[in-house]
Amino acid sequence: KAGLVIAVNVDGWVLAGGRSQRMGRDKAGVELAGISLLERMLGKLRKLGLGARVAGMREPVEGVSVEVVSDLHPDCGPLSGMESALIRSERQLVMMLGVDLPLVETEFLRWMLERAQVSGAAATIPRVLGQPQPLCAVYRRELLGGIARALNSGDYKTMTAVESAAAGARLDLFDVERAATLGAWDSRLPAHCQFMNCNTREELAAAAALLARTPML
């Protein structure tokens, strides 16, 4: 089971620079069970003992006071938010969470962070149903140069840029389902539910229904 996170050398960021076209308004301020998506994601980072900042948010969220850093490459997707987070981070490891993942379990994040601290991998990225989830991952600051080069060259695909930035360094891609089956943390929801993006009002309603049955941060 996950123990205590040693967060001295870890920064935490929420990536919130998307245009939220399918939601029809800025996702960061959308409420789920009375709490904004932004506050939910910041709360997860704080529960881990991490300082929490936001990259790329377009509009302030009422009642949320937090440092926000603008993207250097606006409208270039989440990779730009990752660049901003890596530039402004002071610590070696950087946990990044997309603002639209309110069901990801804090205990899973704790376990993943401990895995990243122990492994020394350039990036620790979960896979769900075989698909990488780079917007819920832990990165080392050494990837900054490669990610900046990808953005400057017009390559905005997150996983492609991360793999290129690693340049032979080890990437730790692991299957969440297998780790959960082995009891790595106490999981309340199946992995595919935890990683459900809230991009539309329908997805938000589905998340609210799950949350009503399984309360969590």
Side-chain angles (χ1 to χ4, degrees), residues 40-215:
R40 283 188 177 276
M41 302 315 294
L42 290 171
K44 295 176 194 293
L45 292 172
R46 290 166 180 156
K47 191 173 181 181
L48 295 175
L50 307 184
R53 289 178 278 181
V54 180
M57 190 164 65
R58 295 171 180 270
E59 302 174 8
V61 175
E62 186 176 356
V64 180
S65 178
V66 65
E67 180 183 349
V68 178
V69 175
S70 299
D71 288 346
L72 296 179
H73 295 83
D75 299 322
C76 292
L79 196 65
S80 183
M82 293 170 62
E83 177 194 38
S84 299
L86 291 172
I87 288 173
R88 292 295 296 272
S89 291
E90 297 85 22
R91 295 171 174 84
Q92 184 181 26
L93 287 174
V94 184
M95 174 171 275
M96 301 190 201
L97 302 177
V99 75
D100 57 359
L101 290 168
L103 298 183
V104 68
E105 294 175 333
T106 307
E107 286 308 307
F108 162 72
L109 297 176
R110 188 188 308 278
W111 175 83
M112 179 172 67
L113 183 53
E114 290 177 341
R115 182 182 177 110
Q117 290 172 313
V118 170
S119 73
T124 303
I125 303 173
R127 282 188 299 236
V128 177
L129 300 177
Q131 296 300 311
Q133 306 294 319
L135 303 189
C136 179
V138 182
Y139 297 93
R140 291 190 176 268
R141 290 193 68 241
E142 64 202 48
L143 296 178
L144 172 59
I147 286 175
R149 286 191 294 273
L151 284 161
N152 289 329
S153 68
D155 183 0
Y156 307 145
K157 294 180 179 179
T158 305
M159 277 306 302
T160 301
V162 169
E163 289 168 352
S164 176
R170 189 168 73 86
L171 296 180
D172 178 15
L173 281 89
F174 65 91
D175 294 306
V176 175
E177 296 92 340
R178 182 173 185 274
T181 299
L182 294 174
W185 69 95
D186 292 323
S187 183
R188 300 182 182 184
L189 286 174
H192 68 279
C193 293
Q194 288 191 55
F195 284 82
M196 183 181 71
N197 296 102
C198 287
N199 288 319
T200 66
R201 295 189 181 278
E202 292 75 17
E203 290 167 343
L204 194 68
L210 284 168
L211 199 59
R213 297 197 298 269
T214 312

